[in-house]
Amino acid sequence: MRSGRRRLSRVWVINGLLVVVLVGGGVAGYLVFFASDSGASSTTAVRTAAVSSRDVSEVVTAAGAVQSGYSAAASFSGTGTVASVDVKVGDVVTKGQKLASVDTAQASLQVTIAQNNVNQAYQTLVDAQAKGTSTPQQQTALDSAVLARDQANEALAATTLTAPGDGTVTSVSGKVGDKVSGGSSGAAATTTTAPTGFVVVTDLKNFVLHANVAESDVSKLKVDQAATVTVNALPSQPVQAKVTGVDLLPTTSNNVVQYGVTLALTDPPATLKPGQSASVEITVASATGVLAVPSAALSTIGAANTVTVLENGAESRKSVEVGVRGDQYVQITSGLTANEQVVLPQVATGTQQQGGNRVGTGTGFPGTGTGVGGGRVGGGTGTGTGPGR
């Protein structure tokens, strides 16, 4: 009986040791699990860049559309029936070339009548002068007749429509037999809308870009500033340009104030077409071969500019004076010397693992029951066997 109890005690002792071992192993595994699973951001080395000599440019960006440098609408100024249309879309014409005409019968008759009135008024005045009975009214009648004749001749000339300038016919809005009721004829300045008329002549060799810039940038723009235009349809063929004009008055849309700027394109691609959308970068300031640092290294508060410099492993702040501010680099006019190392903003490179719900299994005490297993504290639970209580 006693020997049986001693054997039972030994069993419990062994089992107790087993429990201690299992619990100790579980705790150790738990600590190892969390130490490896809870990732921490690694400390990165200080990033620096050397103060070096380079070219720095400040640019203003804008978007707009390609337009012809010259586009004009020619329309009949009088009434009549279209007698001829001498051009078609795509024809290249020169200034003064005949484009179309209306029936001249009515206009010719008016010229004949006006000329007869001039002749009669002139004869009346001459006869009165010969008799010494001429009056100022007779001279006035002659002057009026001459004026009416000149107007009749102008109307006759207007029956023929001529090209207002050199270019290509891009629109013909009438045909023989149409009735025209008069209008205006002349060149239209470069605008966002094309001119309209009986015939439209457009210069397809000389192009401009009309773009809109933000009100904060318009004060930086000046005539003759260089620019680079990228047409959306031809992204691999950038076009050089120059600013030719800046609008004095703004346009406002959805409370956004913008100013128009016109740029002349230099050697545009042969495939370029009016109306194509494009973006432009206008160089408003530049400096060649100057000391510069990356823009990210510069800190600006009000009118004060500072950088952090790394010297002998220690960081220190320095005040600097700046010149041209580019997107990537900033010119330093004083405060730094070549090859000094400026500190750049840190970039985190470590990985952080997020805790999630996990289900694990573990080993508990001998017996029956529920014990804590390998479940993670992120919502995980473990199941096992242990002594029932």
Side-chain angles (χ1 to χ4, degrees), residues 83-148:
S84 68
V85 177
D86 300 276
V87 295
K88 62 182 182 300
V89 173
D91 286 351
V92 177
V93 296
T94 58
K95 184 176 181 179
Q97 180 177 333
K98 181 183 177 183
L99 304 176
S101 66
V102 295
D103 182 21
T104 61
Q106 185 67 25
S108 297
L109 178 58
Q110 292 298 327
V111 170
T112 299
I113 294 172
Q115 184 60 54
N116 290 336
N117 290 337
V118 169
N119 295 339
Q120 183 177 354
Y122 175 75
Q123 191 61 50
T124 299
L125 178 60
V126 170
D127 292 344
Q129 288 175 340
K131 296 177 182 179
T133 60
S134 62
T135 64
Q137 289 77 12
Q138 291 170 332
Q139 181 63 53
T140 300
L142 176 60
D143 293 341
S144 298
V146 171
L147 178 60

Side-chain angles (χ1 to χ4, degrees), residues 7-375:
R7 286 195 299 271
L8 182 60
S9 298
R10 292 190 187 98
V11 171
W12 276 108
V13 169
I14 294 173
N15 287 343
L17 292 175
L18 179 61
V19 168
V20 171
V21 171
L22 290 175
V23 171
V27 171
Y30 179 82
L31 294 176
V32 171
F33 176 81
F34 272 97
S36 62
D37 196 50
S38 59
S41 297
S42 61
T43 303
T44 60
V46 176
R47 298 172 59 241
T48 63
V51 180
S52 58
S53 178
R54 64 177 62 250
D55 298 342
V56 181
S57 297
E58 180 183 0
V59 299
V60 169
T61 59
V66 176
Q67 298 176 9
S68 168
Y70 169 85
S71 189
S75 298
F76 292 105
S77 59
T79 58
T81 301
V82 177
S84 68
V85 177
D86 300 276
V87 295
K88 62 182 182 300
V89 173
D91 286 351
V92 177
V93 296
T94 58
K95 184 176 181 179
Q97 180 177 333
K98 181 183 177 183
L99 304 176
S101 66
V102 295
D103 182 21
T104 61
Q106 185 67 25
S108 297
L109 178 58
Q110 292 298 327
V111 170
T112 299
I113 294 172
Q115 184 60 54
N116 290 336
N117 290 337
V118 169
N119 295 339
Q120 183 177 354
Y122 175 75
Q123 191 61 50
T124 299
L125 178 60
V126 170
D127 292 344
Q129 288 175 340
K131 296 177 182 179
T133 60
S134 62
T135 64
Q137 289 77 12
Q138 291 170 332
Q139 181 63 53
T140 300
L142 176 60
D143 293 341
S144 298
V146 171
L147 178 60
R149 182 199 59 189
D150 292 344
Q151 291 174 340
N153 282 325
E154 290 176 359
L156 177 61
T159 60
T160 300
L161 197 63
T162 59
D166 298 345
T168 301
V169 175
T170 53
S171 173
V172 177
S173 59
K175 62 182 183 300
V176 174
D178 286 351
K179 298 288 186 180
V180 293
S181 58
S184 60
S185 177
T190 302
T191 61
T192 55
T193 58
T196 58
F198 191 87
V199 177
V200 176
V201 176
T202 303
D203 183 358
L204 298 181
K205 295 181 180 179
N206 300 298
F207 288 102
V208 298
L209 178 77
H210 188 80
N212 292 314
V213 299
E215 60 178 322
S216 59
D217 291 328
V218 69
S219 60
K220 303 175 185 178
L221 301 182
K222 297 178 182 178
V223 173
D224 289 336
Q225 286 175 329
T228 299
V229 174
T230 302
V231 180
N232 294 349
L234 305 168
S236 62
Q237 297 177 273
V239 183
Q240 299 307 305
K242 280 191 175 183
V243 175
T244 58
V246 181
D247 291 354
L248 297 178
L249 299 177
T251 58
T252 303
S253 177
N254 297 325
N255 295 323
V256 177
V257 179
Q258 294 181 311
Y259 287 79
V261 56
T262 303
L263 303 100
L265 306 187
T266 304
D267 296 327
T271 54
L272 192 63
K273 303 294 184 184
Q276 290 181 316
S277 57
S279 59
V280 58
E281 292 185 348
I282 305 170
T283 302
V284 297
S286 62
T288 304
V290 296
L291 290 181
V293 298
S295 301
L298 183 70
S299 176
T300 300
I301 301 177
N305 300 294
T306 60
V307 296
T308 300
V309 178
L310 183 66
E311 295 178 316
N312 299 322
E315 296 182 10
S316 62
R317 300 292 293 180
K318 280 190 175 184
S319 296
V320 296
E321 297 293 331
V322 301
V324 178
R325 293 175 180 262
D327 290 337
Q328 297 182 353
Y329 291 92
V330 177
Q331 177 190 4
I332 301 298
T333 58
S334 66
L336 294 175
T337 58
N339 299 321
E340 284 190 272
Q341 298 293 317
V342 295
V343 178
L344 301 177
Q346 293 292 346
V347 178
T349 59
T351 57
Q352 183 71 32
Q353 295 180 350
Q354 301 295 327
N357 293 333
R358 296 189 180 182
V359 176
T361 58
T363 303
F365 296 153
T368 61
T370 302
V372 178

